[in-house]
């Protein structure tokens, strides 16, 4: 999937975008704790998420959706039902009755059973419920023709035609819905039969990138069979360095562990739907201590209610902040320059954009910027390469 960057919609300042990203990242953490071919889509950045542009229906109706490697269902808000609660979006709501190719999915269909929570409606249709850290949606499952790029043709996909959206204000950032890229049967990846997919995220805040010819690769950690953990892409993180200092972290901090039947904790998932990275306590606390030590004398008080802890003057970031390196099993190292893990919190201050995940570790989209990421689903491997995503 090719991604391009545009300015955020709305009148948010850079600092407001960062604060909204903190809130969205914490919502995502709560959600995770609770429980061959391909397509190319134009994608832009909106506040702290990445949004794909596509059309659905015959004749085609324009839509936009957050892209999310941490969930499965494809859904869009619709005009269906007389009683409706919908989030504000920038495009008209999808009108299924105006599409000649739309068809409801019967409740006995396998696609209906593939959604974790579903009910049989009185008319025999498949009513679905999907929950996220930011809220929940209710609708019915249907199929229609989707097109993700001009001239690319259409593909028939099962998707949620959502008529009830109860999410935190601004959670959709003006988008029509969500495109799940996870491992489940209803994700875009599974429905198109894609063996692999890739994306490249342009920076939140413009800065020249330094591409590299070096490609690093590793095997995914094997997923549990239990939902929602079966959806995620887990990576084998084993250590972290700050500058030249390897942090005293036991690699078991990053292990995925079963706490009782059907419930798991820990692990490190890579997630396009979470703005900022979060690390489990056993990794976050050593990171916090070492960054504090190395930046002693340069640290300043964080802006009030920013959600951050470690901050320096914005003008000092490139001069004083050391690079951060994530070490993965097999020898793959993901080096993050300061601009990939420090974000502007106000006009004078920048702060470390890594949160305390308590028992969960997530690599968010802020830390994925200007890297070409390849998810080889069939081969069970994840690869990354430094890139200037604005030129791809």
């Amino acid at each position: 999937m090719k991604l391009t960057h545009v300015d955020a919609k709305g009148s948010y300042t850079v600092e407001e975008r960062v604060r909204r990203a903190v809130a969205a990242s914490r919502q995502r953490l709560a959600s995770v704790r609770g429980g061959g071919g391909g397509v190319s889509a134009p994608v832009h950045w909106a506040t702290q998420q990445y949004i794909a542009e596509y059309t659905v229906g015959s004749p085609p109706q324009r839509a936009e959706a957050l892209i999310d490697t941490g969930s499965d269902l494809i859904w869009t808000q619709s005009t269906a039902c007389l009683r409706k609660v919908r989030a504000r979006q920038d495009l008209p709501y999808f009108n299924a009755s105006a599409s000649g190719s739309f068809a409801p999915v019967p409740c006995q269909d396998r696609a209906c059973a593939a959604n974790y929570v579903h009910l049989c409606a009185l008319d025999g249709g498949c009513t679905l419920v999907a929950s996220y850290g930011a809220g929940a949606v209710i609708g019915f499952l249907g199929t229609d023709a989707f097109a993700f790029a001009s001239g690319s043709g259409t593909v028939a996909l099962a998707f949620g035609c959502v008529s009830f959206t109860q999410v935190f204000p601004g959670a959709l950032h003006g988008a029509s819905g969500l495109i799940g890229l996870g491992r489940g049967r209803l994700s875009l990846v599974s429905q198109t039969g894609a063996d692999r997919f890739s994306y490249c995220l342009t920076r939140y805040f413009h800065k020249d990138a330094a591409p590299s010819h070096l490609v690093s690769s590793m095997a995914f950690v094997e997923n549990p069979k239990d939902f929602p953990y079966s959806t995620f892409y887990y990576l084998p993180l084993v250590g972290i360095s700050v500058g030249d200092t390897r942090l005293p972290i036991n690699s078991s901090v990053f292990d995925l562990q079963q706490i009782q039947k059907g419930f798991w904790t820990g692990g490190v998932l890579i997630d396009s739907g979470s703005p900022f990275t979060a690390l489990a306590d056993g990794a976050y606390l050593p990171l916090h201590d070492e960054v504090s030590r190395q930046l002693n004398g340069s640290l300043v008080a964080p802006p009030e209610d920013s959600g951050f802890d470690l901050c320096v003057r914005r003008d000092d970031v490139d001069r004083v902040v050391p690079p951060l390196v994530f070490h993965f099993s097999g020898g793959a190292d993901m080096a993050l320059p300061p601009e990939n893990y420090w974000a502007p919190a106000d006009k004078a201050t920048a702060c470390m954009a890594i949160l305390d995940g308590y028992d969960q570790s997530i690599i968010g989209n802020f830390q994925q910027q200007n890297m070409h990421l390849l998810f080889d689903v069939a081969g069970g491997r994840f690869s990354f390469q430094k890139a200037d995503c604005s030129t791809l």
Side-chain angles (χ1 to χ4, degrees), residues 93-173:
Y93 298 101
F94 173 68
N95 185 352
S97 62
S99 173
S101 50
F102 177 83
V105 171
C107 194
Q108 66 270 22
D109 193 279
R110 291 182 64 222
C112 184
N115 195 65
Y116 184 64
V117 180
H118 63 274
L119 303 167
C120 289
L122 293 177
D123 61 2
C126 178
T127 299
L128 60 85
V129 179
S131 298
Y132 304 90
V137 298
I138 301 174
F140 63 93
L141 198 65
T143 61
D144 212 331
F146 281 66
F148 290 91
S150 177
S152 64
T154 62
V155 57
L157 297 174
F159 72 109
C161 203
V162 167
S163 55
F164 181 91
T165 307
Q166 189 67 53
V167 296
F168 292 122
L172 286 181
H173 315 292

Side-chain angles (χ1 to χ4, degrees), residues 199-246:
Y199 57 78
C200 199
L201 304 180
T202 52
R203 288 206 188 282
Y204 284 22
F205 318 110
H206 295 292
K207 186 167 184 178
D208 292 338
S212 170
H213 296 294
L214 176 65
V215 178
S216 299
S217 181
M218 71 201 73
F220 285 116
V221 174
E222 185 176 356
N223 280 61
K225 304 301 182 185
D226 304 301
F227 183 86
Y229 318 101
S230 56
T231 293
F232 304 137
Y233 298 95
Y234 288 99
L235 299 183
L237 184 63
V238 294
I240 299 174
S241 291
V242 178
D244 295 328
T245 303
R246 181 79 174 239

Side-chain angles (χ1 to χ4, degrees), residues 1-38:
M1 183 178 290
K2 183 180 179 180
L3 312 186
T4 56
H5 176 281
V6 299
D7 289 336
K9 296 181 179 179
S11 57
Y12 299 112
T13 66
V14 167
E15 296 77 23
E16 287 171 337
R17 296 173 192 173
V18 171
R19 293 188 185 215
R20 288 164 61 85
V22 173
S25 298
R26 296 199 185 282
Q27 292 165 11
R28 186 62 158 192
L29 279 166
S31 175
V32 171
R33 291 196 199 101

Side-chain angles (χ1 to χ4, degrees), residues 185-356:
R185 284 169 44 200
L186 290 180
S187 77
L188 179 63
V189 178
S190 297
Q191 290 197 62
T192 58
D195 291 331
R196 57 180 62 187
F197 69 94
S198 66
Y199 57 78
C200 199
L201 304 180
T202 52
R203 288 206 188 282
Y204 284 22
F205 318 110
H206 295 292
K207 186 167 184 178
D208 292 338
S212 170
H213 296 294
L214 176 65
V215 178
S216 299
S217 181
M218 71 201 73
F220 285 116
V221 174
E222 185 176 356
N223 280 61
K225 304 301 182 185
D226 304 301
F227 183 86
Y229 318 101
S230 56
T231 293
F232 304 137
Y233 298 95
Y234 288 99
L235 299 183
L237 184 63
V238 294
I240 299 174
S241 291
V242 178
D244 295 328
T245 303
R246 181 79 174 239
L247 300 181
I249 301 172
N250 190 318
S251 62
S252 63
V253 167
F254 304 115
D255 287 348
L256 182 62
Q257 300 176 353
Q258 186 173 27
I259 52 178
Q260 65 183 70
K261 187 175 181 180
F263 293 92
W264 297 73
T265 188
V268 180
L269 61 100
I270 185 160
D271 181 16
S272 66
S274 180
F276 291 147
T277 289
L279 295 174
D281 270 346
Y284 177 81
L285 296 177
L287 172 66
H288 180 280
D289 290 348
E290 181 60 25
V291 172
S292 298
R293 186 189 69 80
Q294 292 194 27
L295 297 184
N296 184 31
S298 297
L299 293 173
V300 298
E304 186 176 357
D305 299 326
S306 67
F308 293 120
D309 188 8
L310 300 178
C311 304
V312 299
R313 294 179 64 251
R314 283 178 65 166
D315 292 342
D316 289 343
V317 170
D318 290 337
R319 181 178 62 85
V320 302
V321 173
L324 185 72
V325 181
F326 289 163
H327 304 288
F328 298 94
S329 64
D333 287 342
M334 180 182 289
L336 301 178
E339 60 267 22
N340 269 50
Y341 79 106
W342 283 68
D346 62 21
K347 293 182 179 179
T349 312
C351 303
M352 187 174 75
I354 294 179
L355 308 178
D356 186 347

